[in-house]
C-alpha cells in the first residue's frame, strides 16, 4: 500500500499504540482526529515518527473548508484580529476538535491562554493569541448546528458557512497528496497546539478562568 490511515475517531487513547504498530511498515501515516487524548501523547506520536523517519499528519475535515480559505485570503491573514467558529456533535471530547481546527488553521499555533465555559450542552473555548488576537470556539452538544465561522479585522466582520463545502472529499484529496509526496503538509506545531488547548480545556482549572499554555 502507499499509505496508512488510523481511523479510530471515538478512541484517541488508542492512537499511540496503533502508531507503534503502523510505523514499522514504513508508509506515510495519517491519524484521524482527535489526534491524541492529551498534549504529551501527541508529542510522543510525533517523536516516534521522527525516530522511524516516517511522515505523520492529522487533521479534522474542517481544515479543508475552501470557503474559509477564500475568506481568509480576501481579508488577509495578517489583518485578522478575532475569530469565532461554531459546530455541533455528540460530545465535547470528540467534536471540539472541529471548531478548534478551523481556528488554529486560520489564527496559527501561538496561543497564550485558554478558558473553557460550559452551560449544559453548550461549550465555549476562549483563546488569547500572541499579538493581542483572540478567538472563540463553540461546541453545541446534541445539536445539528452547521460548522461556520466569523472573522473580524479592524475594518470589517465577515461570515462563512462550511457545510456547503465538500469537506470529506477535500480531506481525502489532502490525504492522497500527502501519501503521494510523503511530505508533512500540515504544520505539526498547529496540530500540537490543538492538542494543548483541548488538553487544557478538559481540566477543572480551565473552567471559567484562563489557563496559561
Amino acid at each position: 500500500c502507499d499509505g496508512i490511515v488510523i481511523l479510530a475517531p471515538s478512541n484517541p487513547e488508542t492512537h499511540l499504540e496503533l502508531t507503534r504498530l503502523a510505523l514499522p511498515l514504513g508508509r506515510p501515516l495519517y491519524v484521524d482526529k482527535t489526534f491524541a487524548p492529551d498534549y504529551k501523547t501527541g508529542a510522543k506520536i510525533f517523536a516516534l515518527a521522527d525516530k522511524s523517519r516516517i511522515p505523520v499528519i492529522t487533521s479534522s475535515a474542517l481544515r479543508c473548508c475552501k470557503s474559509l480559505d477564500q475568506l481568509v485570503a480576501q481579508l488577509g491573514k495578517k489583518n485578522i484580529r478575532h475569530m469565532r467558529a461554531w459546530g455541533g456533535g455528540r460530545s465535547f471530547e470528540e467534536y471540539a476538535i472541529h471548531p478548534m481546527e478551523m481556528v488554529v488553521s486560520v489564527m496559527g499555533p501561538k496561543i497564550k491562554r485558554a478558558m473553557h465555559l460550559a452551560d449544559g450542552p453548550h461549550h465555549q473555548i476562549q483563546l488569547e493569541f500572541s499579538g493581542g488576537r483572540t478567538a472563540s470556539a463553540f461546541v453545541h452538544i446534541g445539536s445539528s448546528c452547521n460548522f461556520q465561522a466569523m472573522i473580524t479585522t479592524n475594518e470589517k466582520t465577515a461570515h462563512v458557512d462550511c457545510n456547503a463545502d465538500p469537506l470529506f472529499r477535500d480531506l481525502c484529496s489532502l490525504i492522497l497528496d500527502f501519501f503521494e509526496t510523503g511530505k508533512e503538509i500540515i504544520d505539526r506545531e498547529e496540530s500540537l497546539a490543538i492538542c494543548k488547548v483541548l488538553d487544557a480545556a478538559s481540566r477543572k482549572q480551565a473552567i471559567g478562568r484562563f489557563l496559561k499554555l
Side-chain angles (χ1 to χ4, degrees), residues 75-175:
L75 296 175
K77 207 165 190 175
K78 65 180 181 180
N79 299 321
I80 296 172
R81 302 300 303 164
H82 181 74
M83 180 175 176
R84 292 187 177 190
W86 291 267
R90 288 191 298 269
S91 70
F92 177 80
E93 291 75 17
E94 188 172 349
Y95 282 82
I97 177 66
H98 293 309
M100 276 303 309
E101 191 87 44
M102 296 166 72
V103 167
V104 172
S105 68
V106 171
M107 305 285 286
K110 304 299 184 183
I111 304 169
K112 298 169 65 177
R113 302 192 300 169
M115 175 169 58
H116 181 188
L117 301 173
D119 178 17
H122 306 290
H123 296 258
Q124 300 178 39
I125 301 175
Q126 301 292 333
L127 302 170
E128 182 182 315
F129 287 78
S130 62
R133 300 170 299 134
T134 58
S136 307
F138 295 83
V139 190
H140 301 288
I141 304 308
S143 167
S144 58
C145 173
N146 281 359
F147 289 105
Q148 51 194 303
M150 191 172 287
I151 294 177
T152 299
T153 68
N154 287 332
E155 286 74 37
K156 64 185 293 186
T157 294
H159 170 266
V160 63
D161 189 333
C162 289
N163 280 64
D165 287 37
L167 298 171
F168 291 105
R169 185 201 69 186
D170 289 343
L171 175 62
C172 288
S173 179
L174 181 151
I175 294 170

